[in-house]
C-alpha cells in the first residue's frame, strides 16, 4: 500500500542519488563547450542535447518510459519499446492524466543555466563525454524526484478527497498549493540535504581525524559546497515538485 510515509521515504532516498550525482559532476570543470550550439556536421544543437536525445531513444526502446516514475526530456518521436511490457499486477496507482504532466523543459533550463554555474569550477578539460554522462545522471535524478510529486499528490488526494475535491472542481491553483504545502517538512528537507552533502563530501581517513569538511579543512576536503544543495531544494526541487502536484491534481477528476 502506498501511503504518505512510504512516498516521503522514497523522496528521502532520492536525496542520496541527487547529492551523489552532483558530487560526481563536480569532479569536472564547467566544460561550457558541451552546452553551446555545436559545429559538428549532422549535429543539430548542443552536444549535451544530442547525447541526451540519443540516450533517450535507446532507453525508450528498452521500455524505460513505460514506468510512471520516468519522464523523457525529448518526448517527441521516441520509438516504441522493443520488449513488450508485462501486464500490470495491480491497477495503476496514478490517474491516467498523469502522463500529461512533464516539467522537464523547466528542469533542463534551470540545471544548465542556473545550477551548473553554482557548483562547477570555470574551465575546460575536454572530457565532454564523461561530463555529459554525469549531467544526464543529475538531470534524470532531478526529474525523477520532481515528478514523484504525482505520487505525493495522489496519496494526499486519497487521504482527504473531501478537502481536495472542491478546490479541484473550482480549478483553484492557489487553494491546492495551500492544501499540499507543509512548510515545516520543507525546512527539514533543506537542512537534511545540506547535511547529507556535507557528510557525503568528506574524505574518509582511517588513521586521521582531519577528514571532515568543516572548519579549516572546508576548502581542501569538500567535494561540493553543501549550501548549494539546500538552495537547489529551496529554489527549484521543492517548488517544482509542488507544481507537479498542483498540475496533477487539477486533472485528477477528469473523466
Ligand atoms: C512532498 C511533499 O509535499 C510538499 C513538497 C515537499 C517536497 O518537495 O519535499 C515537502 C513538503 C510539502 O510542502 C510532502 O508533503 O512530503
Amino acid at each position: 500500500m502506498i501511503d504518505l510515509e512510504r512516498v516521503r521515504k522514497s523522496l528521502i532516498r532520492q536525496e542520496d542519488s541527487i547529492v551523489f550525482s552532483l558530487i560526481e559532476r563536480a569532479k569536472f570543470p564547467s566544460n561550457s563547450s558541451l552546452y553551446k550550439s555545436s559545429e559538428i556536421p549532422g549535429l543539430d544543437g548542443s552536444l549535451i542535447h544530442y547525447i541526451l536525445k540519443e540516450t533517450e531513444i535507446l532507453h525508450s526502446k528498452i521500455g524505460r518510459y513505460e514506468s510512471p516514475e520516468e519522464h523523457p526530456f525529448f518526448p517527441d518521436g521516441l520509438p516504441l519499446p522493443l520488449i513488450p511490457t508485462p501486464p500490470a499486477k495491480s491497477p495503476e496507482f496514478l490517474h491516467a492524466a498523469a502522463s500529461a504532466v512533464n516539467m522537464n523543459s523547466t528542469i533542463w533550463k534551470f540545471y544548465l543555466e542556473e545550477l551548473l554555474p553554482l557548483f562547477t569550477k570555470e574551465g575546460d578539460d575536454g572530457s565532454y563525454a564523461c561530463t555529459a554522462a554525469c549531467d544526464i545522471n543529475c538531470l534524470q535524478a532531478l526529474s525523477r524526484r520532481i515528478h514523484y510529486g504525482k505520487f505525493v499528490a495522489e496519496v494526499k488526494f486519497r487521504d482527504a478527497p473531501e478537502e481536495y475535491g472542491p478546490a479541484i472542481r473550482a480549478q483553484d491553483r492557489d487553494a491546492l498549493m495551500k492544501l499540499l504545502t507543509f512548510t515545516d517538512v520543507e525546512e527539514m528537507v533543506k537542512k537534511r540535504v545540506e547535511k547529507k552533502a556535507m557528510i557525503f563530501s568528506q574524505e574518509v581517513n582511517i588513521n586521521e581525524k582531519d577528514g571532515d569538511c568543516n572548519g579549516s579543512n572546508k576548502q581542501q576536503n569538500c567535494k561540493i559546497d553543501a549550501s548549494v544543495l539546500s538552495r537547489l531544494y529551496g529554489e527549484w526541487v521543492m517548488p517544482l515538485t509542488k507544481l507537479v502536484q498542483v498540475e496533477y491534481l487539477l486533472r485528477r477528476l477528469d473523466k
Side-chain angles (χ1 to χ4, degrees):
M1 176 54 199
I2 304 186
D3 58 15
L4 194 52
E5 199 191 322
R6 196 167 136 192
V7 160
R8 283 183 173 154
K9 269 198 182 133
S10 169
L11 293 176
I12 292 171
R13 179 60 187 84
Q14 291 184 52
E15 289 165 5
D16 301 4
S17 313
I18 291 174
V19 174
F20 273 123
S21 64
L22 262 63
I23 288 176
E24 287 302 282
R25 175 60 185 85
K27 286 196 297 196
F28 298 99
S30 51
N31 283 337
S32 53
S33 310
L34 185 54
Y35 314 103
K36 290 191 185 126
S37 208
S38 169
E39 272 150 36
I40 303 170
L43 242 172
D44 187 15
S46 64
L47 195 51
I48 186 71
H49 181 283
Y50 173 76
I51 300 172
L52 181 51
K53 201 168 175 190
E54 291 295 314
T55 303
E56 291 193 338
I57 290 172
L58 172 65
H59 287 184
S60 186
K61 284 185 190 162
I62 55 171
R64 180 173 193 160
Y65 305 112
E66 301 308 294
S67 160
E69 293 182 33
E70 300 289 337
H71 299 75
F73 281 80
F74 305 112
D76 292 342
L78 279 177
L80 291 170
L82 300 174
I83 319 154
T85 329
K89 290 196 195 88
S90 47
E92 297 288 350
F93 182 67
L94 298 179
H95 185 278
S99 57
V101 181
N102 184 330
M103 299 282 167
N104 276 342
S105 57
T106 311
I107 298 173
W108 170 262
K109 203 166 150 50
F110 91 71
Y111 177 78
L112 295 183
E113 292 174 13
E114 301 187 67
L115 185 62
L116 268 180
L118 290 182
F119 75 100
T120 55
K121 290 197 190 78
E122 229 5 84
D124 193 322
D125 68 357
S127 46
Y128 303 132
C130 298
T131 306
C134 290
D135 282 326
I136 291 174
N137 279 339
C138 293
L139 285 163
Q140 289 173 337
L142 288 166
S143 171
R144 199 171 310 120
R145 198 290 180 194
I146 289 165
H147 290 100
Y148 209 73
K150 295 178 186 180
F151 290 84
V152 182
E154 179 62 28
V155 164
K156 288 181 179 172
F157 173 79
R158 289 191 194 196
D159 282 350
E162 68 294 345
E163 282 182 45
Y164 284 92
I168 296 171
R169 279 186 285 275
Q171 293 287 289
D172 187 341
R173 291 171 167 272
D174 294 342
L176 287 171
M177 187 59 97
K178 223 164 157 185
L179 279 173
L180 57 81
T181 297
F182 293 86
T183 11
D184 51 339
V185 176
E186 294 183 25
E187 281 313 306
M188 197 175 59
V189 171
K190 280 201 285 180
K191 286 197 188 119
R192 191 175 52 232
V193 286
E194 181 158 352
K195 190 166 178 185
K196 282 187 182 181
M198 218 133 72
I199 293 171
F200 298 172
S201 267
Q202 286 174 23
E203 293 290 341
V204 178
N205 294 314
I206 304 291
N207 298 318
E208 297 157 38
K209 283 201 223 96
D210 64 352
D212 66 68
C213 182
N214 302 310
S216 58
N217 294 317
K218 200 170 174 166
Q219 287 312 315
Q220 297 109 291
N221 291 334
C222 283
K223 299 183 182 89
I224 195 164
D225 172 359
S227 69
V228 169
L229 264 297
S230 139
R231 197 165 156 198
L232 163 65
Y233 268 72
E235 285 182 31
W236 296 294
V237 172
M238 293 195 290
L240 285 172
T241 304
K242 290 198 290 179
L243 200 58
V244 165
Q245 294 188 58
V246 170
E247 290 298 330
Y248 175 80
L249 287 168
L250 286 170
R251 297 164 171 81
R252 179 57 180 79
L253 296 176
D254 289 0
K255 291 274 176 306

